[in-house]
Amino acid sequence: MAIIIKNQEQIEGIRKSSKLAGQTLQIIGEYVKEGVTTEYLDNIIKEYIADHGAIAAPLNYNGFPKSSCISPNNIICHGIPSKDIILKPADIVNIDITTILDGYFGDTSKMFTIGDISDEVQNLIDVTKHCLNLGIQQVKPKNSFGNIGYFIGNYAQSKGFSVVYEFCGHGVGLKFHEEPQVDHLARKNSGAEMKPGMIFTIEPMINQGKSKVVIDKNDGWTATTIDNKLSAQYEHTILVTPTGFEVLTDVIGEY
Ligand code: MF3
Ligand code: CO
Ligand code: CO
């Protein structure tokens, strides 16, 4: 199996789906506040995506029971939206949206905060966002995938944080998860070479404490930190262009 090079028609389809995923992540921000449940947010996400002619990809994906992943505090990723998880002041939460529009996938996530958070916690979030940015800056033809993880890993560790290595970014577009696996911790100049038309995610998960992941035995999904310290994550879907990159899920003109 090789890394798919998307054609113009596929790129256009994935661009549209990615825009919708990015827009969904934008509008959900209005609803993220103290006292709401993560299930309530998931329902809004599900309806917004359906209202725009698309499907939320997580629902029933390998048995996942909800339409988005919502991961507060010590949950690294794959948090299952629940009526029992109520957002409270000083929480941090990652919301991860994946859309299927006309058969094409777009995947993006970001952090939200509830009320005031400490400078220390804000720093974790800022460093994680910068890790994604550093990874994106490595995207250009002929560069190696390993350089994404090389620069992310160095930066996160220089700030005293650890990088989750048990979950990775991934090729995306025709399917939810395609080749290659995009490591967020890697050796310089290792791995496959980027080529125009490749589309993949970069989605670093950065921890305050240990990097190790624990999967909930009961639900089989929820991935938490082993020490229950905080974890943050940002994700974009990125196209390799002839000259560099296009961030397909960027709807606010950050890139
Ligand atoms: N959106 C996640 C990712 O970035 C994958 C979630 S799989 C699910 O790859 F089943 F939990 F939805
Ligand atoms: Co992803
Ligand atoms: Co995602």
Side-chain angles (χ1 to χ4, degrees):
M1 283 290 289
I3 303 171
I4 300 168
I5 307 285
K6 275 83 177 181
N7 64 33
Q8 277 312 314
E9 182 182 338
Q10 293 167 334
I11 290 170
E12 192 44 43
I14 298 163
R15 188 182 275 124
K16 280 190 188 143
S17 188
S18 295
K19 285 277 169 301
L20 178 59
Q23 270 168 27
T24 310
L25 203 51
Q26 277 303 113
I27 67 99
I28 199 62
E30 291 172 40
Y31 302 92
V32 179
K33 47 179 178 253
E34 177 183 353
V36 305
T37 68
T38 57
E39 181 179 69
Y40 167 80
L41 297 173
D42 185 69
N43 280 323
I44 293 169
I45 290 163
K46 182 182 186 178
E47 278 178 30
Y48 185 85
I49 292 172
D51 284 349
H52 289 78
I55 307 166
L59 187 62
N60 300 322
Y61 177 77
N62 292 337
F64 192 79
K66 293 286 184 177
S67 295
S68 62
C69 295
I70 306 188
S71 305
N73 302 324
N74 64 326
I75 302 181
I76 295 169
C77 64
H78 301 166
I80 300 174
S82 164
K83 62 176 174 29
D84 299 325
I85 303 179
I86 305 166
L87 297 178
K88 59 181 192 308
D91 280 352
I92 66 169
V93 60
N94 174 274
I95 302 185
D96 191 338
I97 310 274
T98 312
T99 47
I100 314 173
L101 181 63
D102 300 330
Y104 296 112
F105 291 73
D107 190 7
T108 183
S109 84
K110 67 179 221 172
M111 298 303 295
F112 298 88
T113 57
I114 319 303
D116 290 335
I117 57 167
S118 68
D119 291 350
E120 196 184 336
V121 175
Q122 186 62 51
N123 186 43
L124 170 69
I125 292 174
D126 293 346
V127 166
T128 305
K129 188 169 182 188
H130 191 59
C131 282
L132 172 56
N133 181 39
L134 287 174
I136 289 171
Q137 301 306 326
Q138 288 304 310
V139 178
K140 54 182 169 246
K142 295 189 163 45
N143 201 5
S144 66
F145 277 95
N147 285 342
I148 293 170
Y150 175 75
F151 284 97
I152 290 174
N154 269 358
Y155 180 71
Q157 290 171 352
S158 78
K159 297 293 175 183
F161 298 121
S162 69
V163 179
V164 173
Y165 57 86
E166 293 168 274
F167 294 108
C168 302
H170 50 92
V172 67
L174 308 187
K175 293 195 296 178
F176 200 156
H177 295 104
E178 304 171 357
E179 282 189 47
Q181 179 176 304
V182 179
D183 296 330
H184 302 115
L185 200 58
R187 283 177 212 282
K188 196 163 193 203
N189 299 331
S190 65
E193 189 181 273
M194 298 178 213
K195 297 193 171 79
M198 289 181 178
I199 298 179
F200 52 87
T201 73
I202 303 176
E203 50 182 298
M205 286 145 271
I206 306 297
N207 294 354
Q208 265 185 334
K210 294 192 164 76
S211 61
K212 182 98 187 101
V213 169
V214 177
I215 310 281
D216 187 292
K217 282 201 181 64
N218 294 309
D219 66 33
W221 282 102
T222 310
T224 60
T225 54
I226 193 165
D227 50 17
N228 286 319
K229 291 189 180 177
L230 299 177
S231 183
Q233 180 178 28
Y234 280 82
E235 174 176 27
H236 271 310
T237 294
I238 301 134
L239 165 70
V240 185
T241 66
T243 52
F245 61 81
E246 179 182 337
V247 180
L248 300 180
T249 41
D250 173 25
V251 294
I252 57 175
E254 264 188 291
Y255 288 96

